[in-house]
Amino acid sequence: MTTLERIRDTASTLFAARGYAGTSMSRLAGQVGIRKASLYNYYPSKEALLQDLVARGMSAWTEASESLQEGGDPRERLRVYFHSIFAFADAHPEIVALIRVASTQIGGSLGKRCRGSAVEEQGRMVDEVAELCRRAMEQGQMEAADPREPALLWTAVVDGVLMNKLFATPRAAEFGDRLEPLWRRLWVAMGGVT
Amino acid sequence: MTTLERIRDTASTLFAARGYAGTSMSRLAGQVGIRKASLYNYYPSKEALLQDLVARGMSAWTEASESLQEGGDPRERLRVYFHSIFAFADAHPEIVALIRVASTQIGGSLGKRCRGSAVEEQGRMVDEVAELCRRAMEQGQMEAADPREPALLWTAVVDGVLMNKLFATPRAAEFGDRLEPLWRRLWVAMGGVT
DNA sequence: CCTACCGATCGGTAGG
DNA sequence: CCTACCGATCGGTAGG
């Protein structure tokens, strides 16, 4: 692992756990095992570091679900998409937590920029789910007045489970092995035909 | 409004928006319209201020749903409980956001203390919902293997909608007037008989 | 509720 | 990647 990679990993974890303002460059350097000044050989500023981490995290997340883009049975694609989000969150909890922090925790123009790209990303996700719902409706797999309605429910459930997974409530583990039953319930609630 | 009340209001809003570490006592004082040193006549430290706000926020939240404790039709009580949470979040967004921030954003022993009480509170909520589900099952209103399963789903949906409401995504407004249809879908997904 | 002040730490730079 | 240093701001206190 290169120093740069260690900086990124450690910074993601620290920002996610203690917030942006709550993480000092000295502490980050200490945890990486170098001096604070050396960090500035990799990033010109603390803000630039955060923005790069958020951008990288979001494209990694998008990429992880990109493979779902190909056609196929809408119902099955929704199911796989659902699970893939939690698979990514399990593999890279610090990335998901960082994005959450960056989009909800930082004031000023830096916060606006982070929020902007995170909101954009999440918007794409909802659109994609709504599109899959539309196709499911076409194929008689789902009944709804408007595909955006089940898509909103989908978003709420995913966000809620992520919250519980990320922030280590005692119930986090409870969701872990119940995702498939949860999906089946969600499918029904979305108007899915069984 | 007394100075103390203004301090509490402003601090909740600032902590929620910029994080604990991201909010300085000088900025808080400035926004309240007094000098920084004067804050220390009301609270002995920044930590004490946060802890008091979290404690107050949580008991206000509990109180708001306390009126739901009396008996009655389980299904109706679940429905009212569901709506009451968002009614509280609409009336006091800064309190809900503050609790979220306090329980996910602060490292060290302060964070642990805040997280501890927030987790406890949320645990009570899930237990209460599970108990209502158990009663609903008894009365033949709901079908499930274990009342904790629909209760988990309930929690995920509530958390997810709160996230979207609090952090002002473009979809926040979309949930606003769709809570009752959302509840109906959730009820079905919980195994509720229609 | 204020002025005046404390030591510590912040993000960041110079120069090697 | 380091030592040495910068001005600014941090949480908090003394004393009124």
Side-chain angles (χ1 to χ4, degrees):
Chain A
M1 229 180 179
T2 67
T3 301
L4 179 56
E5 283 166 340
R6 261 183 305 133
I7 289 173
R8 285 178 183 151
D9 258 42
T10 313
S12 291
T13 306
L14 282 174
F15 284 152
R18 322 177 58 96
Y20 174 73
T23 302
S24 71
M25 295 298 266
S26 324
R27 179 186 276 264
L28 169 59
Q31 208 132 317
V32 171
I34 57 176
R35 301 287 168 178
K36 183 180 65 165
S38 308
L39 291 172
Y40 291 87
N41 285 303
Y42 298 93
Y43 286 98
S45 70
K46 191 185 179 185
E47 290 204 3
L49 170 59
L50 176 75
Q51 278 186 265
D52 183 54
L53 292 175
V54 170
R56 282 170 171 278
M58 281 196 309
S59 59
W61 201 347
T62 307
E63 238 171 70
S65 49
E66 209 77 74
S67 57
L68 306 169
Q69 295 285 3
E70 296 97 47
D73 182 55
R75 174 185 175 161
E76 182 58 15
R77 281 191 51 196
L78 280 166
R79 196 189 130 266
V80 172
Y81 196 5
F82 181 82
H83 284 291
S84 78
I85 287 181
F86 301 114
F88 184 83
D90 277 334
H92 307 285
E94 80 289 350
I95 292 181
V96 181
L98 172 76
I99 290 175
R100 214 106 259 183
V101 165
S103 54
T104 62
Q105 271 290 316
I106 300 154
S109 65
L110 176 62
K112 249 177 212 155
R113 258 171 290 149
C114 291
R115 227 183 319 274
S117 39
V119 161
E120 211 178 282
E121 183 68 21
Q122 222 199 346
R124 262 198 296 278
M125 193 175 82
V126 179
D127 290 344
E128 205 176 329
V129 171
E131 168 62 15
L132 287 170
C133 287
R134 199 188 55 73
R135 276 193 242 162
M137 285 164 67
E138 262 178 21
Q139 302 191 14
Q141 289 179 338
M142 183 182 281
E143 285 165 14
D146 178 343
R148 293 195 63 77
E149 230 191 90
L152 274 177
L153 178 63
W154 195 91
T155 311
V157 172
V158 167
D159 277 352
V161 176
L162 276 181
M163 275 291 294
N164 280 280
K165 277 186 103 64
L166 287 179
F167 301 117
T169 66
R171 279 170 310 293
E174 298 188 39
F175 281 116
D177 46 358
R178 289 183 191 175
L179 283 177
E180 183 57 26
L182 187 67
W183 160 251
R184 269 183 249 126
R185 283 177 182 278
L186 174 57
W187 173 252
V188 172
M190 288 167 77
V193 181
T194 43
Chain B
M1 228 180 180
T2 67
T3 301
L4 179 56
E5 283 166 340
R6 262 184 305 134
I7 289 173
R8 286 177 183 151
D9 258 42
T10 313
S12 291
T13 306
L14 282 174
F15 285 150
R18 321 177 60 95
Y20 174 73
T23 302
S24 71
M25 295 298 266
S26 323
R27 178 185 278 262
L28 169 58
Q31 208 131 318
V32 171
I34 58 176
R35 300 287 168 178
K36 182 180 65 166
S38 308
L39 291 173
Y40 291 87
N41 285 302
Y42 298 94
Y43 286 98
S45 69
K46 191 185 179 186
E47 291 203 2
L49 170 59
L50 177 74
Q51 278 186 265
D52 184 54
L53 292 176
V54 170
R56 283 170 171 277
M58 281 196 309
S59 59
W61 202 347
T62 307
E63 237 169 72
S65 49
E66 209 77 72
S67 57
L68 306 169
Q69 295 284 3
E70 296 96 47
D73 182 54
R75 174 185 177 162
E76 183 57 16
R77 281 191 52 195
L78 280 166
R79 196 190 130 267
V80 172
Y81 196 5
F82 181 82
H83 284 290
S84 78
I85 286 180
F86 302 114
F88 184 83
D90 277 334
H92 306 284
E94 79 290 349
I95 292 181
V96 181
L98 173 76
I99 291 175
R100 213 106 256 182
V101 164
S103 54
T104 63
Q105 271 290 317
I106 300 153
S109 64
L110 176 63
K112 249 176 212 154
R113 259 169 290 148
C114 291
R115 227 182 319 274
S117 39
V119 161
E120 212 178 282
E121 183 68 21
Q122 220 198 346
R124 262 197 296 277
M125 192 175 83
V126 179
D127 290 344
E128 205 176 328
V129 171
E131 169 62 15
L132 286 171
C133 288
R134 199 188 54 72
R135 276 193 242 163
M137 286 163 65
E138 263 178 21
Q139 302 192 12
Q141 289 180 336
M142 184 183 281
E143 286 164 14
D146 178 344
R148 293 194 63 77
E149 231 191 87
L152 274 177
L153 178 62
W154 194 91
T155 310
V157 172
V158 167
D159 278 353
V161 176
L162 277 181
M163 275 291 293
N164 280 280
K165 277 186 103 64
L166 287 179
F167 300 117
T169 66
R171 279 171 311 294
E174 298 188 39
F175 281 116
D177 45 358
R178 289 184 192 175
L179 284 176
E180 184 57 26
L182 187 67
W183 160 251
R184 270 183 248 125
R185 283 177 181 279
L186 174 57
W187 174 251
V188 171
M190 288 168 77
V193 180
T194 43

